[in-house]
Amino acid sequence: MTSLAARMRAPTQKFQTIETDIAIIGGGVAGCLAALGAAEIGAKVVICEKGGIIERSGSVAAGVDHYIAILEEGPEWDTPEYLLRHIPAVTEGVTDIEAAGRLVYGLKPMVHYLENLGVDFHDPENDDVPYYRHRAFGLPGQYHINFDGHDFKRSIGHAVRKTGAKVLERVMVTEILMEDGRPKGVVAFHIRHGAVYFVLARAIIVATGDANRLGRNASGFPFDSWHMPYNTGDGHAMSLRVGAKLGNMEFTDCTLTPKGYSTQGLNAFMGGGARLINALGEQFMPKYSPNAERAKRADLVNGVVSEILAGRGPIYCDCTHLPEPDIRRLERTLGVDRPALPDFFAQKKIDLAKEPFEISVGEIAIVRAGALFRGSGVDIDADCNSNIPGLFAAGDCSSVNAAVAGASVMGHVAGISAGRYALSQSRPKPLSADEQERIRETLYQPLQKEQGLKFHQFEDEVRSIVTGLIGYRRDERRLREALRRLNALRLREAELVAEDYHGVMRVNEARSIRTVAEALAASAIERRETRGGAAHFRVDYPEKDDDTGLRITLVEQVGDELQVSSRPTGIPSTVLSEVPVKKKEEA
Amino acid sequence: MPILIDENTCVDGCTICDFFCPGDIIYREAKDEPPVVKYQDECWYCGACVIHCPVDAVSIIFPPEMLDCQTDVMSLMGVSLPDDPDDQED
């Protein structure tokens, strides 16, 4: 039942127009760095953020403990040239090499930029070294800095406040409005009191993060997800609707989790020396990767999926062979990326030293296309331009990203690029009263109905299709059926109901989730090869095919259908280990 | 009931859990009334409310579906379509 109070209020909610140079959708790491970049060249911004406060919002709101850096401290690997030469191998030859180059060359300056904002990259447990660096996630050197990043986001959010940027918190953007083929602003609403905003802008930066709640998990709770469940691909979906192309959408991400809790922590267990064992007690990973438990995440998932399908599940994570001090260190690490994880083991009454615990394959998500320096999202060039003039993207919602460091560097690039563009354009016209009325009506239509489809139910259908028909093992026939069902589900979006403004947010997220899943299905059909471990495994095309596969898959909306094409990566086809590098100037 | 707030420990006027919850789940709209966990089923189990509470009034209670999960992981491995003898899971 829609609450009467919300139905009564909806039509009369006041409509505020705010004029600015750049509207930034999302106030996470990429959105905040975009605001800082824009401020440097004198462009005004409005940030719209769904969370309560930008000092504590986005994926790293509660903290982060590792950051990818180049410092040129001496080792051969510690230069942008070296890392860039290895990007084709890291991304299996599928990423825009110019955009990846921009990111790589921005890594070193960004470390010092963030330090100036107050981020402390020093490791509290290693006072004797300036930075504690280690090798992880398949990168060809010790690029990851370990640090205490509990206040990382607070420092950045605080810096944004100091620029005088206008920050609208608890405000969700639902639509990008276009005029003459370029964006003219965004429609947004307050998720608690319902005020409607139109941010009139000359450029738009999409910085909405990754897309979760896409697939089923073991607990059956959709908000129990590895990455933040409130990131639902809203930017992917909004951009697609106005004609932007999304890249690499077929590559999905998932992790291995203690069964029942989709959480971070795999890296801590595998890095800490834990073993994966099957129901027969066999340590099986060496069969699938020479790196065994230290393999890339997508290869670990692939090994576990293979064992389960071969009937050798359940699968367990075993720490019982580890010395006591190693177990205690591991337990201390678990709470850093997910504060509630130590509580989970305590309440489950698991003593890691005494018994293995069962693990599960986590839900399918769109995070970073199964590899660093590649992403699944708005297809961008080295300046963060999408194919729509005036529409920019950065961070996990874009096609070239690399976790927090990627969001920082490319967010900053997007802010500068969008600022330059915005200041060269004429000001768009405000909305007429009729247009405002139409927007308000469409936005609050889910509040006007007595009954209809709940977002949970709608999303459950999407998740069943994604897990059942797209899944960890793909084939053309099931992908086509998934695409057909996801496309048909679009018609049911009009039936979605909400009881309050918070519910209107969930309804919009549910629509984004369906749209992203459809883009995933359409793209996965066209990549007729297997690449990236579990990221895209086709049982009907089980081999890597470099003749067709070394391209970026693009998906766009044409009418009510999605069309898929592809483009080259810029990586010379003959060279996958060494790439001629042209140094990009950091703006 | 994933999030439990101890009303006796909770401090009047503090709104940290309300503002820091990334999912807009915890509401404290009146200063002298305790926070309300309005959308329990939308909790991420991240623990942000727990670590940021200045008086340790918040705890997370994992439900049985998570602590003692009975799901067969095989059920997440995909479904076959009917009428297709060639369709294989792997």
Side-chain angles (χ1 to χ4, degrees):
Chain A
M1 280 290 287
T2 302
S3 89
L4 183 63
R7 278 207 305 281
M8 299 287 285
R9 277 200 307 273
T12 55
Q13 278 299 338
K14 66 178 176 161
F15 197 105
Q16 275 187 54
T17 297
I18 304 169
E19 190 173 344
T20 188
D21 296 323
I22 307 169
I24 300 177
I25 311 174
V29 174
C32 283
L33 265 297
L36 293 169
E40 284 161 30
I41 60 166
K44 283 194 299 181
V45 306
V46 172
I47 300 178
C48 299
E49 163 61 43
K50 285 198 288 194
I53 177 166
I54 56 160
E55 284 83 351
R56 290 283 176 202
S57 70
S59 296
V60 298
V64 57
D65 65 344
H66 53 274
Y67 184 93
I68 303 168
I70 286 172
L71 297 168
E72 300 189 302
E73 285 181 320
E76 188 202 1
W77 55 265
D78 200 13
T79 64
E81 290 80 7
Y82 186 93
L83 178 55
L84 190 52
R85 271 204 307 279
H86 289 79
I87 290 294
V90 169
T91 59
E92 299 150 295
V94 182
T95 194
D96 183 294
I97 197 66
E98 265 202 57
R102 185 73 179 268
L103 200 170
V104 166
Y105 276 94
L107 287 170
K108 186 184 178 195
M110 185 48 67
V111 171
H112 303 303
Y113 187 95
L114 292 171
E115 285 178 329
N116 282 334
L117 301 184
V119 174
D120 184 357
F121 281 116
H122 299 100
D123 183 39
E125 290 188 15
N126 291 280
D127 286 339
D128 47 334
V129 290
Y131 301 98
Y132 180 72
R133 307 181 72 186
H134 71 284
R135 191 181 180 119
F137 298 110
L139 294 185
Q142 293 165 263
Y143 296 102
H144 279 84
I145 299 182
N146 250 35
F147 74 115
D148 175 3
H150 276 113
D151 287 332
F152 182 89
K153 187 67 198 312
R154 189 173 68 177
S155 306
I156 296 171
H158 188 63
V160 169
R161 300 259 186 221
K162 284 201 288 193
T163 66
K166 187 165 180 66
V167 183
L168 301 176
E169 282 135 337
R170 288 184 174 142
V171 168
M172 181 193 202
V173 173
T174 59
E175 198 182 351
I176 296 167
L177 294 190
M178 303 286 288
E179 191 170 78
D180 302 329
R182 65 186 180 97
K184 68 178 280 183
V186 298
V187 175
F189 74 102
H190 195 285
I191 63 170
R192 290 209 180 173
H193 61 56
V196 184
Y197 303 90
F198 178 60
V199 182
L200 190 68
R202 295 185 266 190
I204 289 166
I205 299 173
V206 182
T208 47
D210 48 18
N212 300 287
R213 305 206 318 253
L214 284 180
R216 289 174 51 217
N217 62 13
S219 72
F221 297 150
F223 287 79
D224 163 32
S225 58
W226 168 36
H227 280 261
M228 198 166 86
Y230 318 110
N231 279 354
T232 47
D234 301 339
H236 295 75
M238 269 184 270
S239 304
L240 194 69
R241 287 185 200 117
V242 297
K245 293 178 183 176
L246 308 185
N248 302 325
M249 291 299 286
E250 67 278 22
F251 293 119
T252 49
D253 300 80
C254 81
T255 192
L256 301 174
T257 75
K259 193 170 96 169
Y261 187 22
S262 286
T263 174
Q264 284 77 11
L266 179 66
N267 204 43
F269 279 108
M270 299 296 102
R275 291 176 185 152
L276 296 174
I277 51 174
N278 64 20
L280 308 174
E282 298 163 337
Q283 190 187 353
F284 57 83
M285 269 316 294
K287 272 193 302 193
Y288 299 97
S289 166
N291 297 323
E293 276 85 355
R294 310 255 176 168
K296 284 195 299 191
R297 191 190 310 274
D299 292 334
L300 291 169
V301 172
N302 195 40
V304 170
V305 168
S306 300
E307 288 296 297
I308 291 169
L309 289 172
R312 291 190 287 271
I315 308 298
Y316 297 88
C317 178
D318 186 3
C319 304
T320 55
H321 58 285
L322 296 174
E324 186 73 12
D326 288 13
I327 296 222
R328 298 304 150 225
R329 188 180 324 117
L330 175 59
E331 284 173 340
R332 279 198 305 277
T333 319
L334 292 179
V336 178
D337 252 11
R338 186 64 86 89
L341 186 53
D343 279 348
F344 176 79
F345 282 112
Q347 290 176 34
K348 199 173 161 60
K349 301 192 172 64
I350 285 277
D351 183 346
L352 297 177
K354 295 207 173 108
E355 54 188 321
F357 60 90
E358 191 184 342
I359 60 161
S360 171
V361 178
E363 70 288 339
I364 289 169
I366 293 278
V367 182
R368 56 184 73 105
L372 288 164
F373 301 97
R374 181 164 81 191
S376 304
V378 178
D379 189 47
I380 56 167
D381 68 9
D383 293 318
C384 296
N385 287 295
S386 72
N387 58 304
I388 309 277
L391 183 67
F392 302 79
D396 282 357
C397 67
S398 73
S399 62
V400 178
N401 60 44
V404 180
S408 302
V409 173
M410 296 309 268
H412 190 248
V413 168
I416 290 169
S417 303
R420 287 193 181 132
Y421 175 88
L423 298 179
S424 72
Q425 299 293 311
S426 57
R427 292 158 70 169
K429 287 192 297 288
L431 299 176
S432 68
D434 280 357
E435 285 172 310
Q436 292 187 13
E437 198 45 49
R438 177 197 70 79
I439 284 166
R440 186 168 28 212
E441 233 170 70
T442 310
L443 178 62
Y444 287 140
Q445 190 249 357
L447 288 172
Q448 305 302 314
K449 287 186 289 248
E450 284 290 343
Q451 50 195 330
L453 187 58
K454 296 256 167 77
F455 83 89
H456 291 101
Q457 203 187 333
F458 179 85
E459 283 183 26
D460 280 346
E461 290 204 34
V462 175
R463 284 187 282 272
S464 290
I465 297 168
V466 169
T467 299
L469 293 171
I470 300 175
Y472 311 96
R473 291 287 187 273
R474 302 169 178 178
D475 66 68
E476 183 116 2
R477 188 162 168 266
R478 285 160 65 240
L479 287 171
R480 289 206 178 276
E481 181 61 13
L483 180 62
R484 189 189 67 74
R485 292 191 200 179
L486 288 163
N487 186 269
L489 209 48
R490 177 196 301 254
L491 296 174
R492 302 205 63 195
E493 287 179 6
E495 297 169 34
L496 285 161
V497 286
E499 295 184 359
D500 50 21
Y501 299 116
H502 171 97
V504 174
M505 166 171 73
R506 296 287 182 246
V507 162
N508 278 282
E509 291 173 350
R511 293 175 64 214
S512 302
I513 286 166
R514 188 212 62 81
T515 306
V516 167
E518 190 184 355
L520 156 60
S523 304
I525 290 171
E526 298 303 325
R527 183 171 285 283
R528 291 187 176 83
E529 61 154 359
T530 289
R531 195 175 290 263
H536 180 69
F537 193 117
R538 289 280 301 248
V539 290
D540 46 355
Y541 298 95
E543 303 297 326
K544 198 180 268 191
D545 177 7
D546 282 350
D547 291 339
T548 64
L550 292 171
R551 294 175 70 81
I552 294 165
T553 309
L554 299 173
V555 59
E556 64 187 308
Q557 187 174 318
V558 178
D560 285 340
E561 303 283 329
L562 297 181
Q563 272 183 15
V564 181
S565 57
S566 69
R567 71 171 176 90
T569 59
I571 302 172
S573 58
T574 49
V575 184
L576 265 174
S577 57
E578 291 230 326
V579 179
V581 174
K582 195 170 67 187
K583 181 152 179 162
K584 293 292 294 189
E585 216 179 293
E586 177 57 20
Chain B
M1 174 70 65
I3 302 166
L4 207 59
I5 300 174
D6 181 349
E7 296 180 5
N8 299 319
T9 316
C10 178
V11 184
D12 270 4
C14 171
T15 53
I16 285 177
C17 56
D18 177 327
F19 276 96
F20 286 18
C21 171
D24 190 48
I25 286 159
I26 308 175
Y27 281 55
R28 182 172 222 176
E29 294 185 317
K31 280 187 176 178
D32 49 353
E33 283 171 31
V36 177
V37 184
K38 211 170 160 184
Y39 308 95
Q40 289 275 11
D41 61 335
E42 297 173 12
C43 179
W44 181 26
Y45 300 86
C46 68
C49 51
V50 177
I51 57 166
H52 291 299
C53 175
V55 291
D56 293 333
V58 190
S59 42
I60 285 193
I61 311 296
F62 287 92
E65 291 90 335
M66 297 179 78
L67 288 179
D68 186 25
C69 177
Q70 296 297 321
T71 305
D72 180 352
V73 180
M74 185 64 106
S75 70
L76 303 173
M77 291 295 116
V79 296
S80 302
L81 291 172
D83 307 316
D84 185 9
D86 296 336
D87 191 58
Q88 288 180 358
E89 294 303 318
D90 187 9

